[in-house]
Amino acid sequence: GAGVSQSPSNKVTEKGKDVELRCDPISGHTALYWYRQSLGQGLEFLIYFQGNSAPDKSGLPSDRFSAERTGGSVSTLTIQRTQQEDSAVYLCASSLRPPPSGSYNEQFFGPGTRLTVL
Amino acid sequence: KQEVTQIPAALSVPEGENLVLNCSFTDSAIYNLQWFRQDPGKGLTSLLLIQSSQREQTSGRLNASLDKSSGRSTLYIAASQPGDSATYLCAVSWGKFQFGAGTQVVVTP
């Protein structure tokens, strides 16, 4: 596609339910990143993929969070047993190459998924 | 600790004035630095990426400078317009990107 797409755009769920968020990166981009942006907060790094492997999972806040990437393309972020503090906008980005790789590391973002946990 | 700071947090200017947005970072051993804008309820739009070997990068009315030794980057927007109103974010790569909290800009007609 022309840009990074994410689905759903909005997700409302009840506390304790599991949710899956999807990201389709720009075609040909080998690196994919997940971030979280809470109300009034900056962007928080969650995880990044190079191909299908995740060299850096350091930002995942707890073991309730997991992510996978298949075929070097689509990625899914799964949050199990959601809590109210998980409410945030989840942003996905992709770049042609992973860091460090000069200009090929330029990140392009999707529109985000707004998650609300009631 | 590697940190990115953007001051001020908010800025209001009349239309036509030049905008100057600041980004400072600890640890000068960066790979590159990227500026984004974010409109309310939207994702981030890439504006400029400066590689560590570059001193500046230009795109239209936008010019970004990089001074690694002092840990600073400045984004200049010439002749501001109301459509420039947005939050501007600076992201520094020491591997993965680390973001500043952003500067919220309002350009008044």
Side-chain angles (χ1 to χ4, degrees), chain A residues 35 37 43 45 56 58 91 99-100 102-103 105-107 109-111, chain B residues 31-32 34 36 38 42-44 46 49 51 89 93 95-97 99:
Chain A
Y35 296 90
Q37 189 173 36
L43 264 78
F45 169 81
D56 191 342
S58 61
L91 291 162
S103 62
N105 190 210
E106 183 174 5
Q107 294 193 32
F109 277 78
Chain B
Y31 291 127
N32 50 44
Q34 193 169 357
F36 296 88
Q38 186 174 31
K42 306 287 187 183
L44 276 67
S46 177
L49 179 138
Q51 297 180 54
L89 294 158
S93 175
K96 61 180 183 273
F97 278 100
F99 284 77

Side-chain angles (χ1 to χ4, degrees), chain A residues 1 13 28 31 36-38 44 46 53 61-62 68 83 87 96 111 117:
Chain A
T13 190
R36 178 168 73 173
Q37 189 173 36
S38 303
E44 175 188 10
L46 298 178
S53 63
S62 75
E68 66 174 9
Q83 303 294 313
S87 296
L96 190 60
V117 182

Side-chain angles (χ1 to χ4, degrees), chain B residues 9-108:
Chain B
L11 182 62
S12 180
V13 298
E15 181 177 4
E17 272 200 14
N18 296 333
L19 277 165
V20 180
L21 305 175
N22 299 304
C23 172
S24 61
F25 49 91
T26 59
D27 190 351
S28 61
I30 69 171
Y31 291 127
N32 50 44
L33 184 149
Q34 193 169 357
W35 282 94
F36 296 88
R37 69 174 279 167
Q38 186 174 31
D39 295 285
K42 306 287 187 183
L44 276 67
T45 301
S46 177
L47 297 174
L48 290 166
L49 179 138
I50 311 178
Q51 297 180 54
S52 62
S53 58
Q54 296 177 314
R55 299 279 298 182
E56 67 175 351
Q57 190 71 258
T58 298
S59 176
R61 294 185 295 114
L62 277 59
N63 175 277
S65 66
L66 175 64
D67 183 346
K68 286 194 304 180
S69 60
S70 65
R72 291 184 183 177
S73 176
T74 303
L75 178 66
Y76 301 89
I77 303 177
S80 61
Q81 304 168 358
D84 294 328
S85 299
T87 296
Y88 291 82
L89 294 158
C90 162
V92 179
S93 175
W94 289 282
K96 61 180 183 273
F97 278 100
Q98 186 150 339
F99 284 77
T103 296
Q104 186 175 12
V105 171
V106 174
V107 180
T108 56

Side-chain angles (χ1 to χ4, degrees), chain A:
Chain A
V4 179
S5 60
Q6 293 186 246
S7 61
S9 55
N10 280 285
K11 177 72 176 179
V12 180
T13 190
E14 295 179 347
K15 178 181 173 182
K17 301 279 189 180
D18 297 351
V19 295
E20 286 189 351
L21 312 180
R22 177 188 167 107
C23 173
D24 277 278
I26 293 172
S27 178
H29 279 198
T30 63
L32 185 149
Y33 313 79
W34 283 99
Y35 296 90
R36 178 168 73 173
Q37 189 173 36
S38 303
L39 189 63
Q41 302 293 315
L43 264 78
E44 175 188 10
F45 169 81
L46 298 178
I47 186 171
Y48 115 81
F49 287 91
Q50 165 55 20
N52 292 335
S53 63
D56 191 342
K57 305 179 183 180
S58 61
L60 293 177
S62 75
D63 59 8
R64 296 186 295 105
F65 287 73
S66 63
E68 66 174 9
R69 189 178 184 195
T70 55
S73 181
V74 173
S75 176
T76 303
L77 177 69
T78 302
I79 309 173
Q80 296 179 311
R81 304 180 302 282
T82 52
Q83 303 294 313
Q84 288 183 332
E85 61 262 29
D86 299 334
S87 296
V89 176
Y90 290 81
L91 291 162
C92 174
S94 69
S95 64
L96 190 60
R97 303 266 173 80
S101 50
S103 62
Y104 297 124
N105 190 210
E106 183 174 5
Q107 294 193 32
F108 297 90
F109 277 78
T113 293
R114 181 175 298 277
L115 175 66
T116 303
V117 182
L118 302 177

